[in-house]
Each structure stands twice: as C-alpha cells, then as structure tokens.
Amino acid sequence: MEIYAIDTSKPEAEAHYELLLNQVSLEKQQKLDRFLHREDALRGLYADVLLRWLACRQLKIPNASLQFTYNAFGKPSLLNTPAFHFNVSHSGKWVVCALDDHPLGIDIEQLRPIDFEVGRVCFSDTEYAALMRQDADSRLSYFYDLWTLKESFVKAEGQGLTLPLKSFSFELRAHSFIGFTTEGFTTEYCHFKQYELDQEYKLAVCAAHDHFARQIQQVDIATLQSEVSTQAQL
C-alpha cells in the first residue's frame, strides 16, 4: 500500500492549475468550471491529476490511455487493471490518494465545529454514547475519528449510502486500538489505520489486510506538473 498527499493551499497549486487542467478529461474540465469556489476546483483537479500521475507511473502507460469505469454505486476503477486499486479523498487544503493491490478506502476531514446531534444519525448507539462521554475538549476530535473511520469503510466496500451507517461500529481505546463490529453482514475490509498528516485534520484508511503504508508521501506540485506533462507525451 502507498499513500500520497498534496497541499493545495501552496501558491504552486494555483500557478500550475491551467497547465494541469489540460491533463484531465473534457467532462472533468467542465465539472471543475461549474464549481462556485476556487478551493473546490483546486481540490477536484489535483485529486484527478494525482491519481492519473500515480496510475501512469505504476502501470507504465500514458495518461491518454487511462480508461475509468464505475460500479453501480459510483465507485471508480481503471478498466483492465484488476491489480490496481485506488481511493481518493480531499478536505480543506489536502488531497490524498491511497493505492493497493486490493480495494481500499481512505477519508480525510478537516476539523470543523459540528452539531454533535449528527452523531445520532450516522453513528451506532454505542458509538454515539462513547462520543457523548468525551469531555468538551476532546469530543470534536473523537467525532472525526469515528467519522473518517466509518467513511473509509464505506468507501472500501464500494456500496455507497446503501450500506447503513448504523450497521457497523467502532470502539476507540488508548494505544491506537480500533475495535470493529458489524451487524448482519460479513466483510473482508476489517483492517484500519489512522495517520496524522496535519493536526487540523483526521485521516483513516480501511483495507483487506494489515500491511499499511508506514507513512504518507507528500507530492511536490512542480514535480507533479512536470512528470504529468511528460507522461501525456509518451
């Protein structure tokens, strides 16, 4: 497994935007043009370009040869590449991408104030009870620990919102212990790891095995732009 990250708040992200825009599909370009906020467009573009760069580099094929397909729930994959699996997430200034030879899920979230009543809807009863037992200073952090873990699992399963959020539950203890239980179904995606990329964010990965990346590799935007342009010409 490998995990990569790009900080889209750096000046280079805006400086290389137009050049990198030519490396994504026309459909993607049109979608980016419809965003009202520039930050959304930056995240959307760099999520696509980062994935394309990694795919080209690992599969030894040019960008133009990449063909994406989607399952019934909208989860993307690359056509005719059964051993190349990926998942992308972005929030705030960060874009992250995880690669593996098995399906996986990754989620990153910026820590922002939230109404904890949301937990009644998206958390199991035991998760919500544990959340409300946290003291005021740690409750927000705990909320996003649960949120990113649950999102990473949903994304690994690839069933979208058809998978009830209350049908599986996490238990968080000291020493990074992550307990996981499901109700009424079995799954192979029962290995989880949290990473600290930024103190203002939470990040979690779900996989079918416990061979997680040791660290997150941050990608230099100028290098990305240069190499993506070269890949496009292959």
Side-chain angles (χ1 to χ4, degrees):
M1 180 188 297
E2 299 175 4
I3 304 174
Y4 298 84
I6 290 180
D7 180 353
T8 63
S9 69
K10 293 184 176 181
E12 309 92 274
E14 184 64 60
H16 291 289
Y17 184 90
E18 294 300 329
L19 290 171
L20 289 172
L21 192 61
N22 295 323
Q23 307 303 327
V24 303
S25 68
L26 180 59
E27 180 182 4
K28 183 69 174 184
Q29 292 179 36
Q30 294 171 340
K31 181 178 180 179
L32 294 172
D33 285 340
R34 291 194 293 269
F35 283 124
L36 297 178
H37 302 290
R38 187 62 169 178
E39 294 82 2
D40 293 331
L42 281 168
R43 286 191 293 265
L45 175 66
Y46 279 95
D48 196 302
V49 171
L50 175 61
L51 172 58
R52 287 174 175 275
W53 172 63
L54 293 170
C56 291
R57 192 173 66 166
Q58 292 212 5
L59 300 173
K60 309 300 183 185
I61 60 176
N63 184 19
S65 296
L66 298 177
Q67 297 183 54
F68 291 90
T69 185
Y70 301 84
N71 71 6
F73 307 100
K75 184 175 182 178
S77 61
L78 276 175
L79 197 63
N80 301 321
T81 57
F84 182 84
H85 296 276
F86 62 87
N87 201 231
V88 176
S89 181
H90 49 74
S91 178
K93 68 180 185 178
W94 289 106
V95 169
V96 293
C97 180
L99 306 178
D100 197 19
D101 53 8
H102 290 79
L104 75 171
I106 186 170
D107 190 59
I108 186 170
E109 299 291 342
Q110 185 175 13
L111 298 180
R112 294 175 175 170
I114 195 166
D115 183 353
F116 294 114
E117 285 297 302
V118 172
R120 291 187 183 274
V121 178
C122 61
F123 296 156
S124 68
D125 292 342
T126 55
E127 288 172 329
Y128 183 72
L131 171 68
M132 300 312 292
R133 286 197 300 269
Q134 305 302 308
D135 59 53
D137 292 336
S138 60
R139 189 171 295 164
L140 186 69
S141 176
Y142 193 90
F143 177 93
Y144 281 103
D145 278 332
L146 289 175
W147 184 279
T148 51
L149 284 165
K150 291 178 83 72
E151 281 291 312
S152 72
F153 176 68
V154 169
K155 295 174 76 177
E157 284 284 341
Q159 299 179 30
L161 296 179
T162 63
L163 183 64
L165 293 174
K166 288 179 174 287
S167 66
F168 57 97
S169 184
F170 290 93
E171 178 188 2
L172 307 181
R173 296 188 216 156
H175 308 299
S176 301
F177 174 84
I178 302 174
F180 178 66
T181 57
T182 63
E183 297 180 7
F185 69 95
T186 58
T187 178
E188 63 179 304
Y189 305 109
C190 53
H191 298 275
F192 301 88
K193 184 175 176 63
Q194 295 172 290
Y195 293 85
E196 186 172 320
L197 174 64
D198 185 313
Q199 291 184 347
E200 298 301 317
Y201 292 76
K202 293 288 185 175
L203 190 156
V205 178
C206 170
H209 57 76
D210 60 358
H211 305 301
F212 287 96
R214 292 186 177 181
Q215 62 184 11
I216 299 173
Q217 303 178 57
Q218 293 196 37
V219 178
D220 177 74
I221 292 175
T223 300
L224 175 68
Q225 190 277 320
S226 176
E227 293 192 7
V228 168
S229 297
T230 300
Q231 289 168 346
Q233 297 170 4
L234 294 178

